[in-house]
Amino acid sequence: MKIVTNIARAAAAAAGALPRTPSLAGLDLLASAVVMVDAEGRIAFANAAAENMLESSLKALSRQRLCDLFTNPAELEHVIGQARTHKHSDLRQDLTLERVAREPLHVHTIVSALDEPAGAVLLELRETVQQMKLDREERLLDQSQVNKELIRNLAHEIKNPLGGIRGAAQLLEMELPPLHLQNLREYTQVIIKEADRLQTLVDRLLAPHRRPHIVGDVNIHEVLERVRSLIMAEFPAGLRIVRDYDASLPEFRGDKEQLIQTVLNIAHNAAQALSGQIEEGSAQITFKTRVARQVTLAKVRYNLALDLHIIDNGPGIPPQIRDRIFYPLVSGRDGGSGLGLTLAQTFVHQHMGVIECESRPGYTDFRILLPLP
Ligand SMILES: Nc1ncnc2c1ncn2[C@@H]1O[C@H](COP(=O)(O)OP(=O)(O)OP(=O)(O)O)[C@@H](O)[C@H]1O
Ligand SMILES: [Mg+2]
C-alpha cells in the first residue's frame, strides 16, 4: 500500500513525460512491473520490469493501449475502470492475461487511480509464480530463523550438564575397587566417550553463533582455489575439479574462513556422493562463478551479486531428504552428522546471501548468491 502510494506519487510527478526522468528512474530498480496508463488507456510509462514482462521497450509500448496487448482484456479493463470511478487506492486482483502466440501471463495486479493527470491509473503487475516463489522464500527464511534459535537453545541445554556427566564418570572410575576395575571401566569409558562425542556435536552446532564475524576483503577465486586444493589432497585420483571462473568479479567484504568452510562443506559432500564415479574415474565437480544483476536476496534488492555454483555429476540428493538437507542432523550418509549444510547456510546468511539447491541423478547444483558492492 505504502509502496504503491510512493510509486503513484513518483509517477504522477512525472506524468505526461514518456522518457525516464530522474524521479521515475528509481522504478527500474523494482522487481514488480509498474505501468502507468493515461485517461485513454494508453501506456504512459513502463518500468524495466514491465518492459521485461511485456517483452517490449517503453518506446514501443508507449504507442499502444495496454488492453490491446491482450486477447482477453475485459477483466483488465474492468479493474482499471473500477479504480477510475471509485478512486480505489489499492485494488487487487489475480488475472490471466493472454497474449498472441505467447504463454499467458498469470499476474497479481494492484491498480491505483492517480489524482493527476486526471484519469491516469497506475498498475503494479507481479507474476503469480514469482509471487509464490517470494512467499515461499520468505517462509523458509523465517522457518530457518526459528529453527536456528531452537537448535541454539537446545545445544546450550545439552552442553551445560555434559561437563558434569563426564567429570562424574571419571571420578567414578577412580573410585572403582581394583577387583572390578577391569569389568566396570568399560561402562565409565562408554559414558566418557559418548559425552565427548556429544560435546563435539554441540560445539559444531554453536560454532557459527559464537565466532565473531571477521570481515575483510575476499577474493572468491582464492576461496575456491583453497577448497580445490583441500579436496584434491583428500581425493587425489579419479576426481576432476573444473574451474569456470568469471575473472571480472570484484572483491567483497566478508569472512574468508567462513566462506572457505561453506564451499568446503558443499564440495566435500559432492566428493563423498561421487564415490562410485571416483572409482570409475568419471567424477567431476565444477566451480562456476558469475555476476548476477538486480537480484533480491532475503527480501533486499541488490544491483550486483556473486552467483556461485558448485555442481557435481553424482547420483543426486536422496529424494526422501531433498527438502530438508539444510536442517540440522539430516543426513543421508552412514556416519554423517548432518551439520555440514546447516553450517554452510548459516554462514551464507551471515553474509546476507542465500543458498539453494537443485538436484537430479547426474546433476546436483548448489547455488550461492552473495551481494557485491
Ligand atoms: N552433492 C550431493 N550429492 C548427493 N547428496 C548430497 C550432496 N550434498 C549433500 N547431500 C546429502 O545431504 C546430506 C546432508 O549433508 P550435510 O553436509 O548437511 O551432512 P552430512 O554430510 O551427512 O554430515 P556432515 O557434513 O555434518 O559430516 C548428506 O548426508 C547427503 O545425503
Ligand atoms: Mg557434509
Side-chain angles (χ1 to χ4, degrees), residues 126-195:
R126 213 177 239 193
E127 280 193 74
T128 324
V129 186
Q130 180 193 0
Q131 178 67 42
M132 264 157 43
K133 190 165 169 253
L134 281 180
D135 287 350
R136 185 164 167 270
E137 273 169 9
E138 218 163 276
R139 235 182 10 251
L140 284 180
L141 202 69
D142 290 344
Q143 212 173 40
S144 87
Q145 225 63 328
V146 173
N147 283 338
K148 292 228 172 72
E149 192 70 13
L150 178 74
I151 300 284
R152 190 174 159 184
N153 293 339
L154 200 62
H156 267 296
E157 284 304 311
I158 296 171
K159 193 181 168 64
N160 288 338
L162 264 187
I165 293 173
R166 192 186 195 282
Q170 268 177 322
L171 285 177
L172 194 64
E173 197 173 284
M174 289 196 303
E175 295 297 320
L176 288 176
L179 188 62
H180 299 295
L181 184 63
Q182 224 32 303
N183 296 334
L184 297 179
R185 197 165 171 268
E186 201 179 311
Y187 298 119
T188 49
Q189 279 302 310
V190 168
I191 301 176
I192 292 169
K193 286 224 178 72
E194 288 300 300

Side-chain angles (χ1 to χ4, degrees), residues 209-255:
H209 304 287
R210 214 173 13 216
R211 258 194 60 199
H213 190 56
I214 304 160
V215 172
D217 286 326
V218 180
N219 175 333
I220 193 63
H221 298 130
E222 274 174 25
V223 169
L224 294 174
E225 287 301 299
R226 254 291 274 296
V227 173
R228 186 173 183 272
S229 53
L230 288 169
I231 295 283
M232 293 311 268
E234 196 179 338
F235 302 86
L239 173 65
R240 209 159 80 88
I241 298 187
V242 178
R243 296 112 120 187
D244 178 2
Y245 295 163
D246 178 345
S248 73
L249 267 164
E251 292 195 342
F252 60 95
R253 305 287 291 167
D255 185 326

